[in-house]
Amino acid sequence: MKHRIIVAACAALAALAAPAAQAQWPERPVTIIVPFPAGGGTDTFARPLAQQLGMQLGQSVVIDNKGGAGGTVGAGVAAKAKPDGYTFFMGGAHHALAPSLYKSLNYNIQKDFVPVALLAQPPQVIVINKQKLPVKTLGEFIAYAKQHSGEINFGTAGKGSTHHLAGELFALQNGIKLVDVPYQGAGPMLSALIGGQVDLAFDGLGSSANHIRAGSIVPLAVASAQRSPAFPDVPTAKEAGVPNYEVSTWYALWAPAGTPKEAVDRMTAEVVKALNQPKIKEIWLANGSATPNLTGAAFGAYVDSEIGRWAKVVKDSGVTLD
């Protein structure tokens, strides 16, 4: 009888101790793999978020940039990371394009990751180098592009990136021919645009915002249903005469499949908390994005819908990658 009492007491203590042990996550720094070079649109949101999460979690949250192949190199690294709750992956719209673009990938965004949360959803913006293109409106650009078919180039963050497919979609919708020039990320692409190596770009507003404010590049239109509060003077594509052109360069957080549920749940809760902080809201707004509220399975369903949407664009444009 005494033995049974001792066993029961030990079991009860173990049950009480389990939640306490789980609540200790994280016990060391957490890494977020960003699959693009530093200085691009992903970094615009990743670094302020990492700093805020670090303050909330009481541990450093480190950004690890692993660029290459339109974000697929970093995604492959993240998919194979140890699923112990200390590695997360910040990808985005690029990873909804990849399944239709690449004949083979060493990861599956729907199977190898657990969806955590949508983080930001800035619209794309059509930006030009004003020294290279003698136009002031989107309508003028389309007319100019028709007169100079195949002579105008646009920079992208890599073959198969959102920037690339957004440009292909725009060309298809408007009956023009543009030449894509791939770079290793949005940062190098914007440097090329500012330097005049390319004529224009279909970029996420998050990475273009500061350059627009500085006057280094000129926006013709935002690809959203409403004007951006950050740039109220820039018309929407619809207002500028292109009614069906809506594209956002969204960013999101995943965990490698097999990551402990308590770590995923805690990170999800902390992300929601972080996105509601006034400082984060201010940074997001300045870069053309609201702070979304889409997590877990609902966010996963959104990714599924985006994969289906871009599969059609890939098919219609004829773009393929090895």
Side-chain angles (χ1 to χ4, degrees):
M1 184 67 175
K2 182 178 180 180
H3 176 72
R4 290 178 182 176
I5 292 173
I6 293 172
V7 170
C10 289
L13 287 171
L16 289 170
Q22 292 175 359
Q24 290 176 2
W25 181 92
E27 296 179 319
R28 52 188 171 86
V30 175
T31 295
I32 296 179
I33 293 176
V34 169
F36 298 99
T42 318
D43 260 21
T44 300
F45 298 98
R47 293 187 181 276
L49 179 65
Q51 184 177 18
Q52 180 62 40
L53 287 172
M55 289 189 291
Q56 292 175 194
L57 292 168
Q59 291 285 352
S60 297
V61 177
V62 181
I63 299 299
D64 184 8
N65 294 93
K66 293 188 179 297
T72 61
V73 170
V77 172
K80 294 174 176 59
K82 186 177 180 180
D84 57 3
Y86 290 91
T87 300
F88 287 81
F89 172 63
M90 185 171 170
H94 312 275
H95 299 95
L97 305 176
S100 301
L101 283 167
Y102 292 86
K103 294 178 181 178
S104 62
L105 290 170
N106 63 348
Y107 71 93
N108 183 311
I109 197 67
Q110 293 165 294
K111 295 180 180 180
D112 294 335
F113 293 95
V114 176
V116 177
L118 183 65
L119 301 176
Q121 203 169 18
Q124 287 230 328
V125 60
I126 302 168
V127 285
I128 66 168
N129 180 306
K130 61 183 178 182
Q131 306 300 324
K132 297 294 294 291
L133 293 175
V135 301
K136 293 183 178 179
T137 68
L138 192 61
E140 288 180 1
F141 167 67
I142 293 171
Y144 184 82
K146 287 181 177 179
Q147 294 171 358
H148 299 80
S149 181
E151 299 175 17
I152 300 171
N153 59 38
F154 69 100
T156 78
K159 284 283 188 181
S161 64
T162 309
H163 311 76
H164 181 195
L165 269 294
E168 296 288 352
L169 175 61
F170 185 86
L172 283 170
Q173 289 182 343
N174 294 284
I176 61 178
K177 184 177 181 181
L178 303 172
V179 179
D180 67 283
V181 181
Y183 291 87
Q184 293 293 316
M189 174 200 74
L190 285 166
S191 294
L193 178 61
I194 293 167
Q197 284 79 52
V198 292
D199 302 320
L200 78 154
F202 300 82
D203 189 31
L205 189 53
S207 50
S208 277
N210 287 337
H211 301 295
I212 293 171
R213 293 190 183 97
S216 303
I217 53 179
V218 176
L220 298 182
V222 290
S224 51
Q226 291 85 33
R227 293 192 182 199
S228 169
F231 297 94
D233 294 333
V234 180
T236 66
K238 182 177 181 179
E239 290 173 331
V242 183
N244 299 315
Y245 187 71
E246 290 188 20
V247 182
S248 68
T249 303
W250 52 268
Y251 304 100
L253 193 69
W254 286 265
T259 298
K261 185 177 183 300
E262 59 268 21
V264 173
D265 290 349
R266 174 83 188 278
M267 179 61 90
T268 302
E270 295 297 339
V271 165
V272 171
K273 180 180 176 181
L275 292 179
N276 281 289
Q277 297 304 307
K279 181 180 179 181
I280 292 294
K281 285 180 174 291
E282 181 181 345
I283 294 171
W284 265 227
L285 183 62
N287 288 288
S289 178
T291 48
N293 182 22
L294 195 64
T295 63
F299 162 55
Y302 173 74
V303 175
D304 294 343
S305 69
E306 282 285 277
I307 289 173
R309 176 197 180 197
W310 285 108
K312 185 178 186 307
V313 176
V314 170
K315 181 180 178 181
D316 292 346
S317 67
V319 175
T320 57
L321 300 174
D322 292 331

